[in-house]
Amino acid sequence: MRDTNTCPDCGVAPGTRHADGCDVSRCPECGTQALQCGDHTSSGQGIWTGEWPGDLECREWDWWTPFTHPNGTTEMVSDLNRLALAAARGEVRWDKQAERYR
Ligand SMILES: [Zn+2]
Ligand SMILES: [Zn+2]
Protein backbone atom coordinates (compact mmCIF):
# COMPACT_ATOMS: atom_id res chain seq x y z
CA MET A 1 0.00 0.00 0.00
CA ARG A 2 1.23 3.45 -0.87
CA ASP A 3 0.79 5.97 1.92
CA THR A 4 0.13 8.99 -0.27
CA ASN A 5 -2.29 9.70 -3.08
CA THR A 6 0.07 11.82 -5.12
CA CYS A 7 1.93 10.29 -8.06
CA PRO A 8 5.00 8.42 -6.74
CA ASP A 9 7.14 9.78 -9.58
CA CYS A 10 6.12 13.33 -10.46
CA GLY A 11 4.05 14.07 -7.34
CA VAL A 12 0.89 15.49 -8.93
CA ALA A 13 -2.45 15.21 -7.11
CA PRO A 14 -5.17 12.76 -8.30
CA GLY A 15 -7.18 14.08 -11.26
CA THR A 16 -4.20 16.05 -12.59
CA ARG A 17 -2.13 15.23 -15.67
CA HIS A 18 1.37 13.91 -15.01
CA ALA A 19 4.40 16.12 -15.49
CA ASP A 20 6.38 15.59 -18.71
CA GLY A 21 8.80 12.69 -18.40
CA CYS A 22 6.88 11.00 -15.58
CA ASP A 23 7.55 7.25 -15.39
CA VAL A 24 4.02 6.37 -14.32
CA SER A 25 2.13 8.35 -16.94
CA ARG A 26 0.32 6.45 -19.68
CA CYS A 27 -0.14 7.77 -23.19
CA PRO A 28 -3.77 9.04 -23.26
CA GLU A 29 -3.96 8.00 -26.91
CA CYS A 30 -2.95 4.32 -26.73
CA GLY A 31 -2.46 3.40 -23.08
CA THR A 32 1.19 2.38 -23.21
CA GLN A 33 3.69 3.97 -20.87
CA ALA A 34 4.02 7.56 -22.10
CA LEU A 35 7.82 7.42 -21.97
CA GLN A 36 7.79 4.38 -24.28
CA CYS A 37 5.17 5.63 -26.73
CA GLY A 38 6.92 7.29 -29.64
CA ASP A 39 3.76 7.65 -31.72
CA HIS A 40 1.77 10.21 -29.78
CA THR A 41 4.36 12.59 -28.38
CA SER A 42 2.04 15.56 -28.94
CA SER A 43 -0.91 14.15 -26.97
CA GLY A 44 0.75 14.92 -23.68
CA GLN A 45 0.48 13.00 -20.43
CA GLY A 46 -2.17 10.78 -18.90
CA ILE A 47 -4.20 11.66 -15.82
CA TRP A 48 -3.04 10.43 -12.43
CA THR A 49 -6.08 8.78 -10.87
CA GLY A 50 -4.63 8.32 -7.41
CA GLU A 51 -3.70 4.71 -8.02
CA TRP A 52 -1.25 2.80 -10.18
CA PRO A 53 -2.26 2.54 -13.87
CA GLY A 54 -3.98 -0.83 -14.31
CA ASP A 55 -4.99 -1.31 -10.66
CA LEU A 56 -8.56 -0.27 -11.42
CA GLU A 57 -8.88 -2.66 -14.38
CA CYS A 58 -7.37 -5.61 -12.49
CA ARG A 59 -9.70 -5.01 -9.55
CA GLU A 60 -12.71 -4.82 -11.83
CA TRP A 61 -11.81 -8.03 -13.67
CA ASP A 62 -10.56 -9.84 -10.59
CA TRP A 63 -7.03 -10.31 -11.89
CA TRP A 64 -4.71 -10.94 -8.95
CA THR A 65 -1.30 -12.46 -8.49
CA PRO A 66 0.47 -13.41 -5.25
CA PHE A 67 3.38 -11.19 -4.29
CA THR A 68 5.84 -12.31 -1.64
CA HIS A 69 7.54 -9.63 0.43
CA PRO A 70 11.18 -10.01 1.51
CA ASN A 71 9.94 -10.76 5.04
CA GLY A 72 8.05 -13.82 3.76
CA THR A 73 4.48 -12.56 3.90
CA THR A 74 2.39 -12.95 0.76
CA GLU A 75 -0.36 -10.66 -0.43
CA MET A 76 -2.47 -10.53 -3.57
CA VAL A 77 -1.64 -7.62 -5.86
CA SER A 78 -3.02 -6.48 -9.21
CA ASP A 79 -1.86 -8.76 -12.02
CA LEU A 80 -0.45 -6.04 -14.28
CA ASN A 81 1.43 -8.59 -16.40
CA ARG A 82 -1.84 -10.25 -17.30
CA LEU A 83 -3.26 -6.86 -18.25
CA ALA A 84 -0.23 -6.09 -20.44
CA LEU A 85 -0.55 -9.51 -22.09
CA ALA A 86 -4.30 -9.08 -22.69
CA ALA A 87 -3.63 -5.65 -24.22
CA ALA A 88 -0.93 -7.09 -26.49
CA ARG A 89 -3.32 -9.85 -27.62
CA GLY A 90 -6.13 -7.38 -28.25
CA GLU A 91 -8.37 -8.96 -25.58
CA VAL A 92 -8.82 -5.57 -23.94
CA ARG A 93 -9.05 -2.25 -25.71
CA TRP A 94 -7.78 1.17 -24.65
CA ASP A 95 -10.65 3.64 -24.16
CA LYS A 96 -9.28 7.07 -25.08
CA GLN A 97 -12.20 8.96 -23.53
CA ALA A 98 -11.98 7.27 -20.16
CA GLU A 99 -8.19 6.73 -20.31
CA ARG A 100 -8.52 3.12 -19.18
CA TYR A 101 -8.84 -0.37 -20.65
CA ARG A 102 -12.19 -1.98 -21.41
ZN1 LIG B 1 3.36 11.18 -12.48
ZN1 LIG C 1 0.58 6.42 -27.59
Side-chain angles (χ1 to χ4, degrees):
M1 281 285 127
R2 281 163 286 271
D3 48 318
T4 160
N5 264 350
T6 55
C7 172
D9 190 32
C10 69
V12 295
T16 317
R17 292 200 179 273
H18 291 280
D20 279 348
C22 176
D23 237 3
V24 180
S25 176
R26 284 203 264 186
C27 170
E29 201 61 31
C30 65
T32 55
Q33 201 184 356
L35 282 180
Q36 280 169 9
C37 173
D39 303 331
H40 314 106
T41 43
S42 58
S43 29
Q45 304 296 323
I47 289 179
W48 171 243
T49 59
E51 57 185 347
W52 201 260
D55 272 7
L56 172 86
E57 288 91 333
C58 289
R59 193 165 63 234
E60 194 170 300
W61 299 327
D62 232 2
W63 290 356
W64 304 103
T65 189
F67 175 80
T68 307
H69 292 278
N71 67 7
T73 57
T74 300
E75 69 169 325
M76 299 304 280
V77 297
S78 313
D79 196 347
L80 297 175
N81 287 333
R82 180 167 172 185
L83 180 65
L85 211 63
R89 286 182 185 148
E91 293 166 5
V92 295
R93 214 172 42 81
W94 180 249
D95 183 334
K96 278 195 265 183
Q97 264 70 47
E99 293 194 18
R100 53 154 297 173
Y101 286 104
R102 297 272 180 217

